Amino acid sequence: MSKIAIVTDSNSGITQEEGRRLGESVIPMPFFINEKMYLEGITLSQDEFYQWLKSDASISTSQPSPGETMGLWDNLLKEYDEIVQIPMSSGLSATCATAMGLAQEYEGRVHVVDNQRISVTQRQSVVDAIALRDAGKSGAEIKKILEEEKFNSSIYITLETLKYLKKGDRITPAAAAIGTVLNLKPVLQLQGEKLDAFAKVRGKKQARRTMLKAMKADFEGRFAPFVQNGEMCLQAAYTGNPEEAEEWKQEMQETFPGMEIHMDPLSLSVACHIGYGSLAIACSKKVTA
């Protein structure tokens, strides 16, 4: 049986410490803040990121350098036969495509998974990969299974402010101004490659209700067989507002009684575009060998 290393990036929400506990490697995502590079979880903490964000610093996302990625792979392949790498969704970053290109140099020993996940759903893919590996699956089999399951996940997000969507030219300044005056809160969805609009409602309480209703519809509809088999995982995420997030988690628990809810800070790569104070609800099917 091949000895397989599992690799992900910090967009999964898995910290360096948790990665060591799980026995897998976490590549830190780089950020440029006022033209200086920081590495998530190493030279840039969640708190520091939001302090920079609130001060209107110039923040841009980047991707790990090819040299860093290949250096990690080369070191791992001294001890392991294969690597399964689970980056963030190819629809949200070029990181996945870059890794796939680099993997061609490794003669089938590196398997890059493009299963359209990020944050808590990407984290679940890592947990699934570890379980599949421990069940004796090969690197190629793990990649195939995770990619076949890629659409068995769902994320809904509501924002505190339209400021960062405007800043990223995702909505017009006029639309942002009107939305602010009317207290409009967009609900966004991630059902595959892209972050798309789902609904626009008045106030955060209504946005929460909209997200809970949407997730309940997913559980009772397209994911019903998985729910009945106990295969669905429920997750929560947030951007810099842990106290509100705990209230949100409790609200989710009341809607989905008896379900375990895993909660993490949302990926900073997403937080760059949606800002402080967001809340998200997510689910993903647990893969079994």
Side-chain angles (χ1 to χ4, degrees), residues 1 13 33 45 57 60 81 127 134 156 162 167 180 186 221 259-260:
M1 185 172 72
I33 302 177
S45 69
S60 60
D81 302 307
V127 173
D134 293 348
Y156 298 96
L162 299 171
K167 199 171 182 180
T180 300
M259 285 206 71
E260 183 180 343

Side-chain angles (χ1 to χ4, degrees), residues 267-286:
S267 158
L268 295 184
S269 294
V270 174
C272 278
H273 302 294
I274 63 176
Y276 172 87
S278 301
L279 296 172
I281 184 171
C283 70
S284 45
K285 177 178 176 282
K286 180 165 44 178

Side-chain angles (χ1 to χ4, degrees), residues 51-289:
Q51 287 172 10
W52 284 114
L53 195 69
K54 289 177 181 179
S55 70
D56 282 332
S58 172
I59 302 178
S60 60
T61 58
S62 186
Q63 57 177 305
S65 71
E68 179 186 2
T69 300
M70 295 173 79
L72 173 63
W73 291 352
D74 290 342
N75 282 332
L76 287 173
L77 289 172
K78 294 174 184 175
E79 181 181 351
Y80 295 88
D81 302 307
E82 297 180 89
I83 294 170
V84 172
Q85 175 138 336
I86 305 171
M88 69 184 289
S89 170
S90 61
L92 298 172
S93 169
T95 303
C96 184
T98 299
M100 284 185 161
L102 296 175
Q104 293 178 11
E105 303 295 321
Y106 286 80
E107 300 178 339
R109 296 184 70 191
V110 177
H111 309 274
V112 179
V113 178
D114 183 13
N115 70 333
Q116 312 297 345
R117 302 286 180 90
I118 192 167
S119 185
V120 284
T121 60
Q122 182 182 352
R123 179 188 185 279
Q124 184 59 45
S125 292
V126 174
V127 173
D128 291 338
I130 292 170
L132 290 168
R133 176 196 64 190
D134 293 348
K137 299 295 184 185
S138 68
E141 288 172 325
I142 294 170
K143 171 181 166 70
K144 181 174 184 291
I145 292 168
L146 294 184
E147 290 183 345
E148 286 174 346
E149 299 278 359
K150 67 182 178 181
F151 292 123
N152 291 328
S153 69
S154 184
I155 302 177
Y156 298 96
I157 308 170
T158 190
L159 316 185
E160 182 64 36
T161 175
L162 299 171
K163 173 182 175 179
Y164 299 95
L165 289 181
K166 181 185 78 172
K167 199 171 182 180
D169 293 326
R170 306 207 173 211
I171 58 172
T172 66
I178 292 170
T180 300
V181 169
L182 297 178
N183 193 28
L184 292 179
K185 301 295 183 187
V187 175
L188 309 177
Q189 63 177 335
L190 185 59
Q191 305 291 349
E193 292 187 3
K194 300 288 185 181
L195 196 61
D196 294 318
F198 178 75
K200 194 183 293 182
V201 298
R202 294 284 290 272
K204 202 129 179 222
K205 285 186 179 179
Q206 184 60 35
R208 288 187 186 192
R209 285 195 289 267
T210 298
M211 292 194 296
L212 290 171
K213 184 178 178 181
M215 187 58 72
K216 198 166 183 186
D218 283 346
F219 269 49
E220 294 172 354
R222 61 191 179 119
F223 297 143
F226 309 141
V227 174
Q228 290 164 7
N229 291 335
E231 297 172 327
M232 217 63 200
C233 300
L234 188 61
Q235 299 131 341
Y238 59 96
T239 56
N241 49 336
E243 290 182 3
E244 185 183 15
E246 285 296 337
E247 295 175 4
W248 169 234
K249 185 179 178 182
Q250 182 58 39
E251 197 173 344
M252 288 172 55
Q253 197 73 75
E254 291 167 4
T255 304
F256 299 91
M259 285 206 71
E260 183 180 343
I261 300 172
H262 178 86
M263 185 167 73
D264 276 333
L266 197 61
S267 158
L268 295 184
S269 294
V270 174
C272 278
H273 302 294
I274 63 176
Y276 172 87
S278 301
L279 296 172
I281 184 171
C283 70
S284 45
K285 177 178 176 282
K286 180 165 44 178
V287 174
T288 53

